[in-house]
Amino acid sequence: MTAPEPRTGGEELLLARISAAAGRARIGKRRATYAATARTVPARTAPSRGAGGALAYPWYLCRLWYDRYARYVRSPAATAGTVARLDLYERGMTVAVHDRIHVVRYESAAVFQEVTRHRDDPARFTTAYTLTALGGERIVLRSTSERGGGTAAWGPELQRAVAQARLPRALAALRDGERLAFGDFRLSAEEIVCGKAAARWELVEQTAIRNGRVEVHAGGAGPLLACDVSGVPNLFLFWTLVERLRPGDGHA
């Protein structure tokens, strides 16, 4: 067995800075370390409370913010980046990029996910995750699949961690009669709404993700409600709530 190479002085210093930042943020113990492509973009003021990142704001204000800012940071100009170190902890994560350590808390994170296939090789695709650090800077993290393989493990792990951290408050809000905003979707204990269309949960027959869109079927040949995956913050949390609220097993 080959012994691991000793860390350099620079690596030891980086690890110490990451550990110190995680300790100050009280995000628990380190669980895993990954590499990704990352870049930061200027901070923007955005709704941040609630399950989808927007519980306390009217849905149309959330949509206005998304159109102006979230799509801006996920534009083609935001896809370039540099190698970054991701450290996933119990209650958050750190991103080390450009000699800075950014901290993200799962309980307050809003994660936007977008998948882009490569034109020269449709079998490969890049997944971009946009999220906001505690200091307000927005970070775009990217992973590219290998030919015939899946995406990097850290992406789904990040989404699951955020969903797990935010689920109790989201369920409590629904029990209290509140409505949760996830991009164009709004969820309540009685119905799901998208734009001007709405469906009560007892009428929802099937939910699915097809061709990069979230679809909700309710008594018709085509989807009654649909929205791009890239426009749904905290997709795993949204999907968990939908699966709990709708009757039966209509998942596709």
Side-chain angles (χ1 to χ4, degrees), residues 105-193:
R105 286 186 184 275
Y106 296 146
E107 66 182 4
S108 59
V111 182
F112 289 87
Q113 176 178 331
E114 184 173 28
V115 178
T116 304
R117 292 196 177 276
H118 291 227
R119 292 181 179 179
D120 56 345
D121 187 354
R124 299 180 70 237
F125 53 90
T126 294
T127 305
Y129 299 85
T130 302
L131 57 157
T132 304
L134 291 182
E137 283 191 296
R138 297 185 66 80
I139 306 169
V140 182
L141 304 174
R142 299 169 63 236
S143 70
T144 301
S145 70
E146 299 298 331
R147 173 177 283 277
T151 58
W154 60 262
E157 190 171 344
L158 167 62
Q159 288 276 34
R160 283 191 294 268
V162 171
Q164 183 177 6
R166 305 199 67 164
L167 183 60
R169 288 181 58 193
L171 291 174
L174 290 171
R175 286 194 297 269
D176 290 341
E178 297 186 49
R179 177 170 288 188
L180 308 184
F182 290 83
D184 281 347
F185 285 110
R186 281 96 65 208
L187 309 181
S188 72
E190 292 76 30
E191 64 180 3
I192 179 170
V193 180

